[in-house]
Amino acid sequence: RGNRRYFTIASAPTEEEIIMGVKFYDPPSSYKKSMLAMEPGEKILAGQLAGDFTLPINPKEKSVFIAGGIGITPFRSMIKYLVDTKQARDIVLFYSNKNISEVVYTDIFDQAVEEIGLRVVYTLTDSEQVPAGWLGKVGMIDANMIAAEVPDFKERAFYISGPHAMVTAFETALSEMGVSKNKIKTDVKK
């Protein structure tokens, strides 16, 4: 597939270092093998900065962020920025992973819960691997879970990031729930 890939920047504009969230499967692709083999100081060429998957301009707009797996990356950036700039916004984050080992950035989200009032709903989809003492949800995020956790969901903007199939499924589900299409924003290129 060549030597170009799209990556989402996980760092906030308030951070000095550039952070990217990358998931490595076993076995990794040849591209990711090359990334793993890189030495400190080697360079990566980045180009074509693009996209409009950003925080709502209006800080009073209530939002729901839905992330599947490494789709959490843009939300890490947004939430870290809000923490660093001390901006409290009415945001509920749904974050779904297969198992606990895939959950990342909890330090940032815990800080956001404490400092800016973020609400986080963690869920694991592999019911066979739920650790003892798990306080989050078990199962896939669905219309019932959203309605139960966010009763005013029709008043909110929805931001969805994750695997393409997940994103398109949520677009359909939210529309069926009565969420206006202009209140649904995705990170999937169309």
Side-chain angles (χ1 to χ4, degrees):
R1 293 184 2 199
N3 62 0
R4 293 179 184 215
R5 299 292 185 278
Y6 288 101
F7 290 102
T8 301
I9 295 174
S11 50
T14 50
E15 296 178 288
E16 290 186 22
E17 294 181 345
I18 295 176
I19 301 166
M20 293 186 319
V22 181
K23 183 173 183 175
F24 290 89
Y25 294 94
D26 190 25
S29 67
S30 59
Y31 186 88
K32 289 187 179 172
K33 279 183 192 174
S34 295
M35 286 181 74
L36 286 169
M38 292 182 74
E39 297 291 329
E42 286 189 64
K43 296 184 189 238
I44 296 175
L45 177 62
Q48 211 172 6
L49 184 62
D52 62 354
F53 197 72
T54 57
L55 283 167
I57 294 170
N58 179 357
K60 294 188 186 314
E61 183 173 21
K62 297 192 260 181
S63 304
V64 175
F65 294 170
I66 300 175
I70 201 62
I72 195 65
T73 304
F75 298 128
R76 188 263 183 217
S77 173
M78 293 177 198
I79 292 167
K80 175 67 171 146
Y81 174 77
L82 293 174
V83 168
D84 289 349
T85 59
K86 299 179 181 4
Q87 289 186 54
R89 293 192 183 197
D90 190 344
I91 299 171
V92 179
L93 168 65
F94 286 88
Y95 181 22
S96 177
N97 286 281
K98 184 176 180 181
N99 57 57
I100 192 75
S101 69
E102 296 177 348
V103 179
V104 294
Y105 308 133
T106 56
D107 57 332
I108 302 296
F109 305 142
D110 291 347
Q111 183 181 10
V113 167
E114 290 296 318
E115 295 181 15
I116 62 169
L118 177 73
R119 276 195 44 226
V120 182
V121 179
Y122 293 101
T123 184
L124 300 178
T125 59
D126 186 344
S127 60
E128 306 269 319
Q129 294 188 43
V130 176
W134 172 249
L135 299 176
K137 304 277 184 194
V138 177
M140 305 205 46
I141 302 166
D142 61 12
N144 291 330
M145 186 184 295
I146 292 169
E149 294 293 328
V150 190
D152 64 348
F153 66 88
K154 287 186 182 177
E155 301 171 19
R156 293 178 178 263
F158 282 79
Y159 289 71
I160 312 164
S161 178
H164 187 273
M166 183 204 94
V167 171
T168 55
F170 272 113
E171 283 182 292
T172 301
L174 291 169
S175 291
E176 289 172 356
M177 292 172 68
V179 176
S180 171
K181 287 188 192 268
N182 67 353
K183 289 191 159 240
I184 302 171
K185 192 166 192 171
T186 69
D187 71 340
V188 173
K189 311 293 180 253
K190 295 187 177 171

PDB file of all heavy atoms in Angstrom, residues 5-12 15 17-24 31-32 35-36 38 42-47 49 70 72-74 76-77 104-105:
ATOM      1  N   ARG A   5       0.253   6.924   5.221  1.00  0.00           N
ATOM      2  CA  ARG A   5      -0.882   6.539   6.052  1.00  0.00           C
ATOM      3  C   ARG A   5      -1.472   7.802   6.677  1.00  0.00           C
ATOM      4  O   ARG A   5      -0.800   8.799   6.863  1.00  0.00           O
ATOM      5  CB  ARG A   5      -0.464   5.591   7.192  1.00  0.00           C
ATOM      6  CG  ARG A   5       0.138   4.276   6.751  1.00  0.00           C
ATOM      7  CD  ARG A   5      -0.891   3.377   6.075  1.00  0.00           C
ATOM      8  NE  ARG A   5      -0.355   2.074   5.758  1.00  0.00           N
ATOM      9  CZ  ARG A   5       0.359   1.784   4.698  1.00  0.00           C
ATOM     10  NH1 ARG A   5       0.671   2.712   3.830  1.00  0.00           N
ATOM     11  NH2 ARG A   5       0.786   0.548   4.486  1.00  0.00           N
ATOM     12  N   TYR A   6      -2.756   7.704   7.046  1.00  0.00           N
ATOM     13  CA  TYR A   6      -3.394   8.776   7.799  1.00  0.00           C
ATOM     14  C   TYR A   6      -3.295   8.457   9.274  1.00  0.00           C
ATOM     15  O   TYR A   6      -3.581   7.328   9.687  1.00  0.00           O
ATOM     16  CB  TYR A   6      -4.880   8.899   7.421  1.00  0.00           C
ATOM     17  CG  TYR A   6      -5.098   9.465   6.050  1.00  0.00           C
ATOM     18  CD1 TYR A   6      -5.398   8.633   4.981  1.00  0.00           C
ATOM     19  CD2 TYR A   6      -5.024  10.836   5.832  1.00  0.00           C
ATOM     20  CE1 TYR A   6      -5.608   9.161   3.716  1.00  0.00           C
ATOM     21  CE2 TYR A   6      -5.231  11.368   4.569  1.00  0.00           C
ATOM     22  CZ  TYR A   6      -5.524  10.522   3.516  1.00  0.00           C
ATOM     23  OH  TYR A   6      -5.735  11.044   2.274  1.00  0.00           O
ATOM     24  N   PHE A   7      -2.900   9.431  10.066  1.00  0.00           N
ATOM     25  CA  PHE A   7      -2.855   9.286  11.511  1.00  0.00           C
ATOM     26  C   PHE A   7      -3.532  10.494  12.133  1.00  0.00           C
ATOM     27  O   PHE A   7      -3.510  11.585  11.578  1.00  0.00           O
ATOM     28  CB  PHE A   7      -1.415   9.197  12.037  1.00  0.00           C
ATOM     29  CG  PHE A   7      -0.728   7.921  11.679  1.00  0.00           C
ATOM     30  CD1 PHE A   7       0.184   7.875  10.643  1.00  0.00           C
ATOM     31  CD2 PHE A   7      -0.980   6.761  12.383  1.00  0.00           C
ATOM     32  CE1 PHE A   7       0.812   6.695  10.305  1.00  0.00           C
ATOM     33  CE2 PHE A   7      -0.354   5.570  12.067  1.00  0.00           C
ATOM     34  CZ  PHE A   7       0.554   5.541  11.010  1.00  0.00           C
ATOM     35  N   THR A   8      -4.104  10.298  13.299  1.00  0.00           N
ATOM     36  CA  THR A   8      -4.714  11.394  14.038  1.00  0.00           C
ATOM     37  C   THR A   8      -3.748  11.836  15.127  1.00  0.00           C
ATOM     38  O   THR A   8      -3.169  11.005  15.837  1.00  0.00           O
ATOM     39  CB  THR A   8      -6.039  10.929  14.678  1.00  0.00           C
ATOM     40  OG1 THR A   8      -6.898  10.480  13.638  1.00  0.00           O
ATOM     41  CG2 THR A   8      -6.698  12.060  15.438  1.00  0.00           C
ATOM     42  N   ILE A   9      -3.602  13.110  15.268  1.00  0.00           N
ATOM     43  CA  ILE A   9      -2.734  13.650  16.313  1.00  0.00           C
ATOM     44  C   ILE A   9      -3.492  13.595  17.634  1.00  0.00           C
ATOM     45  O   ILE A   9      -4.617  14.068  17.738  1.00  0.00           O
ATOM     46  CB  ILE A   9      -2.300  15.086  15.979  1.00  0.00           C
ATOM     47  CG1 ILE A   9      -1.433  15.063  14.702  1.00  0.00           C
ATOM     48  CG2 ILE A   9      -1.543  15.715  17.141  1.00  0.00           C
ATOM     49  CD1 ILE A   9      -1.069  16.429  14.179  1.00  0.00           C
ATOM     50  N   ALA A  10      -2.851  13.001  18.635  1.00  0.00           N
ATOM     51  CA  ALA A  10      -3.464  12.846  19.952  1.00  0.00           C
ATOM     52  C   ALA A  10      -3.102  13.993  20.889  1.00  0.00           C
ATOM     53  O   ALA A  10      -3.768  14.198  21.899  1.00  0.00           O
ATOM     54  CB  ALA A  10      -3.050  11.516  20.579  1.00  0.00           C
ATOM     55  N   SER A  11      -2.052  14.722  20.578  1.00  0.00           N
ATOM     56  CA  SER A  11      -1.637  15.811  21.457  1.00  0.00           C
ATOM     57  C   SER A  11      -2.554  17.011  21.280  1.00  0.00           C
ATOM     58  O   SER A  11      -3.158  17.210  20.229  1.00  0.00           O
ATOM     59  CB  SER A  11      -0.183  16.197  21.180  1.00  0.00           C
ATOM     60  OG  SER A  11       0.036  16.400  19.802  1.00  0.00           O
ATOM     61  N   ALA A  12      -2.635  17.787  22.334  1.00  0.00           N
ATOM     62  CA  ALA A  12      -3.430  19.017  22.316  1.00  0.00           C
ATOM     63  C   ALA A  12      -2.552  20.170  21.849  1.00  0.00           C
ATOM     64  O   ALA A  12      -1.325  20.109  21.968  1.00  0.00           O
ATOM     65  CB  ALA A  12      -3.966  19.301  23.720  1.00  0.00           C
ATOM     66  N   GLU A  15       0.233  21.262  24.208  1.00  0.00           N
ATOM     67  CA  GLU A  15       1.382  20.405  24.504  1.00  0.00           C
ATOM     68  C   GLU A  15       2.521  20.674  23.519  1.00  0.00           C
ATOM     69  O   GLU A  15       2.287  20.957  22.353  1.00  0.00           O
ATOM     70  CB  GLU A  15       0.974  18.931  24.438  1.00  0.00           C
ATOM     71  CG  GLU A  15      -0.053  18.568  25.498  1.00  0.00           C
ATOM     72  CD  GLU A  15      -0.506  17.122  25.417  1.00  0.00           C
ATOM     73  OE1 GLU A  15      -1.250  16.802  24.470  1.00  0.00           O
ATOM     74  OE2 GLU A  15      -0.104  16.342  26.288  1.00  0.00           O
ATOM     75  N   GLU A  17       5.043  18.463  22.670  1.00  0.00           N
ATOM     76  CA  GLU A  17       5.378  17.309  21.849  1.00  0.00           C
ATOM     77  C   GLU A  17       4.181  16.876  21.015  1.00  0.00           C
ATOM     78  O   GLU A  17       3.035  17.056  21.417  1.00  0.00           O
ATOM     79  CB  GLU A  17       5.823  16.133  22.721  1.00  0.00           C
ATOM     80  CG  GLU A  17       7.121  16.387  23.446  1.00  0.00           C
ATOM     81  CD  GLU A  17       7.561  15.194  24.280  1.00  0.00           C
ATOM     82  OE1 GLU A  17       6.733  14.291  24.528  1.00  0.00           O
ATOM     83  OE2 GLU A  17       8.724  15.175  24.681  1.00  0.00           O
ATOM     84  N   ILE A  18       4.460  16.295  19.863  1.00  0.00           N
ATOM     85  CA  ILE A  18       3.398  15.739  19.030  1.00  0.00           C
ATOM     86  C   ILE A  18       3.229  14.277  19.410  1.00  0.00           C
ATOM     87  O   ILE A  18       4.189  13.500  19.416  1.00  0.00           O
ATOM     88  CB  ILE A  18       3.731  15.880  17.533  1.00  0.00           C
ATOM     89  CG1 ILE A  18       3.771  17.367  17.160  1.00  0.00           C
ATOM     90  CG2 ILE A  18       2.691  15.134  16.692  1.00  0.00           C
ATOM     91  CD1 ILE A  18       4.189  17.635  15.741  1.00  0.00           C
ATOM     92  N   ILE A  19       2.006  13.912  19.746  1.00  0.00           N
ATOM     93  CA  ILE A  19       1.681  12.548  20.151  1.00  0.00           C
ATOM     94  C   ILE A  19       0.714  11.971  19.134  1.00  0.00           C
ATOM     95  O   ILE A  19      -0.254  12.627  18.742  1.00  0.00           O
ATOM     96  CB  ILE A  19       1.020  12.542  21.548  1.00  0.00           C
ATOM     97  CG1 ILE A  19       1.936  13.171  22.593  1.00  0.00           C
ATOM     98  CG2 ILE A  19       0.615  11.124  21.958  1.00  0.00           C
ATOM     99  CD1 ILE A  19       1.229  13.490  23.901  1.00  0.00           C
ATOM    100  N   MET A  20       0.994  10.748  18.693  1.00  0.00           N
ATOM    101  CA  MET A  20       0.075  10.036  17.800  1.00  0.00           C
ATOM    102  C   MET A  20      -0.354   8.759  18.499  1.00  0.00           C
ATOM    103  O   MET A  20       0.452   8.100  19.140  1.00  0.00           O
ATOM    104  CB  MET A  20       0.759   9.671  16.478  1.00  0.00           C
ATOM    105  CG  MET A  20       1.118  10.863  15.635  1.00  0.00           C
ATOM    106  SD  MET A  20       1.771  10.444  13.989  1.00  0.00           S
ATOM    107  CE  MET A  20       2.834   9.066  14.273  1.00  0.00           C
ATOM    108  N   GLY A  21      -1.623   8.423  18.365  1.00  0.00           N
ATOM    109  CA  GLY A  21      -2.116   7.161  18.897  1.00  0.00           C
ATOM    110  C   GLY A  21      -2.124   6.130  17.775  1.00  0.00           C
ATOM    111  O   GLY A  21      -2.792   6.323  16.772  1.00  0.00           O
ATOM    112  N   VAL A  22      -1.365   5.062  17.948  1.00  0.00           N
ATOM    113  CA  VAL A  22      -1.254   4.028  16.923  1.00  0.00           C
ATOM    114  C   VAL A  22      -1.463   2.675  17.586  1.00  0.00           C
ATOM    115  O   VAL A  22      -0.865   2.387  18.630  1.00  0.00           O
ATOM    116  CB  VAL A  22       0.132   4.057  16.239  1.00  0.00           C
ATOM    117  CG1 VAL A  22       0.237   2.991  15.158  1.00  0.00           C
ATOM    118  CG2 VAL A  22       0.427   5.436  15.671  1.00  0.00           C
ATOM    119  N   LYS A  23      -2.292   1.844  16.977  1.00  0.00           N
ATOM    120  CA  LYS A  23      -2.525   0.500  17.499  1.00  0.00           C
ATOM    121  C   LYS A  23      -1.735  -0.499  16.662  1.00  0.00           C
ATOM    122  O   LYS A  23      -1.803  -0.469  15.430  1.00  0.00           O
ATOM    123  CB  LYS A  23      -4.014   0.158  17.467  1.00  0.00           C
ATOM    124  CG  LYS A  23      -4.314  -1.194  18.073  1.00  0.00           C
ATOM    125  CD  LYS A  23      -5.798  -1.430  18.170  1.00  0.00           C
ATOM    126  CE  LYS A  23      -6.072  -2.760  18.842  1.00  0.00           C
ATOM    127  NZ  LYS A  23      -7.480  -2.979  19.064  1.00  0.00           N
ATOM    128  N   PHE A  24      -1.010  -1.375  17.337  1.00  0.00           N
ATOM    129  CA  PHE A  24      -0.232  -2.403  16.658  1.00  0.00           C
ATOM    130  C   PHE A  24      -0.884  -3.756  16.891  1.00  0.00           C
ATOM    131  O   PHE A  24      -1.149  -4.133  18.024  1.00  0.00           O
ATOM    132  CB  PHE A  24       1.203  -2.438  17.196  1.00  0.00           C
ATOM    133  CG  PHE A  24       2.007  -1.231  16.792  1.00  0.00           C
ATOM    134  CD1 PHE A  24       2.015  -0.090  17.575  1.00  0.00           C
ATOM    135  CD2 PHE A  24       2.748  -1.241  15.626  1.00  0.00           C
ATOM    136  CE1 PHE A  24       2.737   1.031  17.204  1.00  0.00           C
ATOM    137  CE2 PHE A  24       3.477  -0.126  15.241  1.00  0.00           C
ATOM    138  CZ  PHE A  24       3.476   1.015  16.035  1.00  0.00           C
ATOM    139  N   TYR A  31       4.272  -1.832   7.304  1.00  0.00           N
ATOM    140  CA  TYR A  31       4.398  -0.405   7.601  1.00  0.00           C
ATOM    141  C   TYR A  31       4.662  -0.182   9.091  1.00  0.00           C
ATOM    142  O   TYR A  31       5.568   0.545   9.486  1.00  0.00           O
ATOM    143  CB  TYR A  31       3.120   0.328   7.171  1.00  0.00           C
ATOM    144  CG  TYR A  31       3.212   1.822   7.302  1.00  0.00           C
ATOM    145  CD1 TYR A  31       3.712   2.593   6.271  1.00  0.00           C
ATOM    146  CD2 TYR A  31       2.798   2.470   8.464  1.00  0.00           C
ATOM    147  CE1 TYR A  31       3.803   3.973   6.377  1.00  0.00           C
ATOM    148  CE2 TYR A  31       2.880   3.845   8.577  1.00  0.00           C
ATOM    149  CZ  TYR A  31       3.383   4.590   7.529  1.00  0.00           C
ATOM    150  OH  TYR A  31       3.478   5.951   7.646  1.00  0.00           O
ATOM    151  N   LYS A  32       3.866  -0.853   9.924  1.00  0.00           N
ATOM    152  CA  LYS A  32       4.038  -0.676  11.372  1.00  0.00           C
ATOM    153  C   LYS A  32       5.313  -1.356  11.878  1.00  0.00           C
ATOM    154  O   LYS A  32       5.903  -0.901  12.853  1.00  0.00           O
ATOM    155  CB  LYS A  32       2.795  -1.130  12.118  1.00  0.00           C
ATOM    156  CG  LYS A  32       1.644  -0.137  11.882  1.00  0.00           C
ATOM    157  CD  LYS A  32       0.447  -0.417  12.705  1.00  0.00           C
ATOM    158  CE  LYS A  32      -0.636   0.624  12.442  1.00  0.00           C
ATOM    159  NZ  LYS A  32      -1.882   0.284  13.091  1.00  0.00           N
ATOM    160  N   MET A  35       7.780   1.242  11.513  1.00  0.00           N
ATOM    161  CA  MET A  35       7.639   2.232  12.591  1.00  0.00           C
ATOM    162  C   MET A  35       8.291   1.720  13.873  1.00  0.00           C
ATOM    163  O   MET A  35       8.998   2.454  14.558  1.00  0.00           O
ATOM    164  CB  MET A  35       6.167   2.550  12.857  1.00  0.00           C
ATOM    165  CG  MET A  35       5.516   3.408  11.816  1.00  0.00           C
ATOM    166  SD  MET A  35       3.787   3.760  12.219  1.00  0.00           S
ATOM    167  CE  MET A  35       3.994   4.957  13.533  1.00  0.00           C
ATOM    168  N   LEU A  36       8.033   0.447  14.200  1.00  0.00           N
ATOM    169  CA  LEU A  36       8.608  -0.140  15.410  1.00  0.00           C
ATOM    170  C   LEU A  36      10.128  -0.184  15.371  1.00  0.00           C
ATOM    171  O   LEU A  36      10.788  -0.107  16.412  1.00  0.00           O
ATOM    172  CB  LEU A  36       8.059  -1.551  15.637  1.00  0.00           C
ATOM    173  CG  LEU A  36       6.627  -1.647  16.141  1.00  0.00           C
ATOM    174  CD1 LEU A  36       6.130  -3.086  16.059  1.00  0.00           C
ATOM    175  CD2 LEU A  36       6.522  -1.125  17.563  1.00  0.00           C
ATOM    176  N   MET A  38      12.084   2.028  14.068  1.00  0.00           N
ATOM    177  CA  MET A  38      12.689   3.360  14.050  1.00  0.00           C
ATOM    178  C   MET A  38      13.494   3.608  15.321  1.00  0.00           C
ATOM    179  O   MET A  38      13.135   3.154  16.394  1.00  0.00           O
ATOM    180  CB  MET A  38      11.620   4.438  13.891  1.00  0.00           C
ATOM    181  CG  MET A  38      10.959   4.428  12.536  1.00  0.00           C
ATOM    182  SD  MET A  38       9.753   5.749  12.363  1.00  0.00           S
ATOM    183  CE  MET A  38      10.876   7.136  12.198  1.00  0.00           C
ATOM    184  N   GLU A  42      15.100   9.568  14.362  1.00  0.00           N
ATOM    185  CA  GLU A  42      14.719   9.398  12.961  1.00  0.00           C
ATOM    186  C   GLU A  42      13.520  10.281  12.673  1.00  0.00           C
ATOM    187  O   GLU A  42      12.739  10.598  13.561  1.00  0.00           O
ATOM    188  CB  GLU A  42      14.394   7.928  12.652  1.00  0.00           C
ATOM    189  CG  GLU A  42      15.626   7.045  12.566  1.00  0.00           C
ATOM    190  CD  GLU A  42      15.275   5.659  12.058  1.00  0.00           C
ATOM    191  OE1 GLU A  42      14.831   5.559  10.887  1.00  0.00           O
ATOM    192  OE2 GLU A  42      15.445   4.702  12.826  1.00  0.00           O
ATOM    193  N   LYS A  43      13.366  10.638  11.418  1.00  0.00           N
ATOM    194  CA  LYS A  43      12.316  11.583  11.046  1.00  0.00           C
ATOM    195  C   LYS A  43      11.202  10.906  10.266  1.00  0.00           C
ATOM    196  O   LYS A  43      11.431   9.966   9.527  1.00  0.00           O
ATOM    197  CB  LYS A  43      12.905  12.712  10.209  1.00  0.00           C
ATOM    198  CG  LYS A  43      13.902  13.522  10.985  1.00  0.00           C
ATOM    199  CD  LYS A  43      14.412  14.684  10.193  1.00  0.00           C
ATOM    200  CE  LYS A  43      15.549  15.287  10.954  1.00  0.00           C
ATOM    201  NZ  LYS A  43      15.495  16.585  11.325  1.00  0.00           N
ATOM    202  N   ILE A  44      10.016  11.432  10.485  1.00  0.00           N
ATOM    203  CA  ILE A  44       8.835  11.045   9.720  1.00  0.00           C
ATOM    204  C   ILE A  44       8.345  12.306   9.036  1.00  0.00           C
ATOM    205  O   ILE A  44       8.240  13.362   9.669  1.00  0.00           O
ATOM    206  CB  ILE A  44       7.725  10.500  10.652  1.00  0.00           C
ATOM    207  CG1 ILE A  44       8.166   9.227  11.343  1.00  0.00           C
ATOM    208  CG2 ILE A  44       6.448  10.272   9.865  1.00  0.00           C
ATOM    209  CD1 ILE A  44       7.153   8.726  12.372  1.00  0.00           C
ATOM    210  N   LEU A  45       8.057  12.215   7.773  1.00  0.00           N
ATOM    211  CA  LEU A  45       7.535  13.358   7.041  1.00  0.00           C
ATOM    212  C   LEU A  45       6.019  13.385   7.192  1.00  0.00           C
ATOM    213  O   LEU A  45       5.345  12.401   6.913  1.00  0.00           O
ATOM    214  CB  LEU A  45       7.911  13.262   5.558  1.00  0.00           C
ATOM    215  CG  LEU A  45       7.364  14.369   4.668  1.00  0.00           C
ATOM    216  CD1 LEU A  45       7.917  15.728   5.093  1.00  0.00           C
ATOM    217  CD2 LEU A  45       7.702  14.088   3.219  1.00  0.00           C
ATOM    218  N   ALA A  46       5.512  14.501   7.665  1.00  0.00           N
ATOM    219  CA  ALA A  46       4.068  14.663   7.823  1.00  0.00           C
ATOM    220  C   ALA A  46       3.597  15.724   6.852  1.00  0.00           C
ATOM    221  O   ALA A  46       4.277  16.727   6.628  1.00  0.00           O
ATOM    222  CB  ALA A  46       3.740  15.069   9.249  1.00  0.00           C
ATOM    223  N   GLY A  47       2.466  15.483   6.283  1.00  0.00           N
ATOM    224  CA  GLY A  47       1.936  16.461   5.354  1.00  0.00           C
ATOM    225  C   GLY A  47       0.427  16.389   5.304  1.00  0.00           C
ATOM    226  O   GLY A  47      -0.189  15.544   5.942  1.00  0.00           O
ATOM    227  N   LEU A  49      -2.037  18.285   6.485  1.00  0.00           N
ATOM    228  CA  LEU A  49      -2.822  18.497   7.686  1.00  0.00           C
ATOM    229  C   LEU A  49      -4.226  18.884   7.252  1.00  0.00           C
ATOM    230  O   LEU A  49      -4.417  19.817   6.484  1.00  0.00           O
ATOM    231  CB  LEU A  49      -2.199  19.602   8.541  1.00  0.00           C
ATOM    232  CG  LEU A  49      -2.844  19.895   9.872  1.00  0.00           C
ATOM    233  CD1 LEU A  49      -2.781  18.670  10.773  1.00  0.00           C
ATOM    234  CD2 LEU A  49      -2.181  21.070  10.542  1.00  0.00           C
ATOM    235  N   ILE A  70      -8.982   2.710  19.093  1.00  0.00           N
ATOM    236  CA  ILE A  70      -8.018   3.789  18.887  1.00  0.00           C
ATOM    237  C   ILE A  70      -8.696   5.050  18.354  1.00  0.00           C
ATOM    238  O   ILE A  70      -8.084   6.115  18.285  1.00  0.00           O
ATOM    239  CB  ILE A  70      -6.847   3.322  17.984  1.00  0.00           C
ATOM    240  CG1 ILE A  70      -5.612   4.208  18.162  1.00  0.00           C
ATOM    241  CG2 ILE A  70      -7.273   3.231  16.536  1.00  0.00           C
ATOM    242  CD1 ILE A  70      -5.026   4.194  19.543  1.00  0.00           C
ATOM    243  N   ILE A  72     -10.313   6.816  19.969  1.00  0.00           N
ATOM    244  CA  ILE A  72     -10.259   7.736  21.105  1.00  0.00           C
ATOM    245  C   ILE A  72      -9.249   8.870  20.881  1.00  0.00           C
ATOM    246  O   ILE A  72      -9.312   9.910  21.530  1.00  0.00           O
ATOM    247  CB  ILE A  72      -9.933   6.961  22.415  1.00  0.00           C
ATOM    248  CG1 ILE A  72     -10.233   7.811  23.657  1.00  0.00           C
ATOM    249  CG2 ILE A  72      -8.483   6.494  22.422  1.00  0.00           C
ATOM    250  CD1 ILE A  72     -11.674   8.145  23.864  1.00  0.00           C
ATOM    251  N   THR A  73      -8.346   8.679  19.934  1.00  0.00           N
ATOM    252  CA  THR A  73      -7.229   9.602  19.733  1.00  0.00           C
ATOM    253  C   THR A  73      -7.641  11.072  19.593  1.00  0.00           C
ATOM    254  O   THR A  73      -7.108  11.921  20.302  1.00  0.00           O
ATOM    255  CB  THR A  73      -6.378   9.147  18.531  1.00  0.00           C
ATOM    256  OG1 THR A  73      -5.970   7.801  18.764  1.00  0.00           O
ATOM    257  CG2 THR A  73      -5.157  10.003  18.341  1.00  0.00           C
ATOM    258  N   PRO A  74      -8.577  11.435  18.709  1.00  0.00           N
ATOM    259  CA  PRO A  74      -8.906  12.859  18.624  1.00  0.00           C
ATOM    260  C   PRO A  74      -9.562  13.396  19.894  1.00  0.00           C
ATOM    261  O   PRO A  74      -9.404  14.567  20.235  1.00  0.00           O
ATOM    262  CB  PRO A  74      -9.864  12.943  17.427  1.00  0.00           C
ATOM    263  CG  PRO A  74     -10.420  11.567  17.278  1.00  0.00           C
ATOM    264  CD  PRO A  74      -9.337  10.636  17.743  1.00  0.00           C
ATOM    265  N   ARG A  76      -8.789  12.456  22.942  1.00  0.00           N
ATOM    266  CA  ARG A  76      -7.694  12.699  23.889  1.00  0.00           C
ATOM    267  C   ARG A  76      -7.172  14.126  23.681  1.00  0.00           C
ATOM    268  O   ARG A  76      -6.965  14.875  24.623  1.00  0.00           O
ATOM    269  CB  ARG A  76      -6.586  11.666  23.676  1.00  0.00           C
ATOM    270  CG  ARG A  76      -5.474  11.709  24.738  1.00  0.00           C
ATOM    271  CD  ARG A  76      -4.298  12.516  24.245  1.00  0.00           C
ATOM    272  NE  ARG A  76      -3.212  12.498  25.217  1.00  0.00           N
ATOM    273  CZ  ARG A  76      -2.438  13.548  25.446  1.00  0.00           C
ATOM    274  NH1 ARG A  76      -2.610  14.681  24.809  1.00  0.00           N
ATOM    275  NH2 ARG A  76      -1.476  13.477  26.341  1.00  0.00           N
ATOM    276  N   SER A  77      -6.977  14.499  22.421  1.00  0.00           N
ATOM    277  CA  SER A  77      -6.492  15.837  22.092  1.00  0.00           C
ATOM    278  C   SER A  77      -7.457  16.916  22.586  1.00  0.00           C
ATOM    279  O   SER A  77      -7.054  17.871  23.251  1.00  0.00           O
ATOM    280  CB  SER A  77      -6.308  15.961  20.574  1.00  0.00           C
ATOM    281  OG  SER A  77      -6.000  17.280  20.208  1.00  0.00           O
ATOM    282  N   VAL A 104      -6.949   3.252  26.824  1.00  0.00           N
ATOM    283  CA  VAL A 104      -5.815   4.169  26.928  1.00  0.00           C
ATOM    284  C   VAL A 104      -6.272   5.563  27.356  1.00  0.00           C
ATOM    285  O   VAL A 104      -7.455   5.885  27.305  1.00  0.00           O
ATOM    286  CB  VAL A 104      -5.031   4.256  25.593  1.00  0.00           C
ATOM    287  CG1 VAL A 104      -4.368   2.929  25.257  1.00  0.00           C
ATOM    288  CG2 VAL A 104      -5.923   4.703  24.449  1.00  0.00           C
ATOM    289  N   TYR A 105      -5.314   6.362  27.775  1.00  0.00           N
ATOM    290  CA  TYR A 105      -5.508   7.774  28.133  1.00  0.00           C
ATOM    291  C   TYR A 105      -6.403   7.988  29.353  1.00  0.00           C
ATOM    292  O   TYR A 105      -6.947   9.079  29.542  1.00  0.00           O
ATOM    293  CB  TYR A 105      -6.057   8.589  26.952  1.00  0.00           C
ATOM    294  CG  TYR A 105      -5.266   8.453  25.668  1.00  0.00           C
ATOM    295  CD1 TYR A 105      -5.919   8.218  24.456  1.00  0.00           C
ATOM    296  CD2 TYR A 105      -3.875   8.586  25.646  1.00  0.00           C
ATOM    297  CE1 TYR A 105      -5.201   8.105  23.265  1.00  0.00           C
ATOM    298  CE2 TYR A 105      -3.152   8.468  24.460  1.00  0.00           C
ATOM    299  CZ  TYR A 105      -3.827   8.228  23.276  1.00  0.00           C
ATOM    300  OH  TYR A 105      -3.124   8.118  22.108  1.00  0.00           O
TER     301      TYR A 105
END
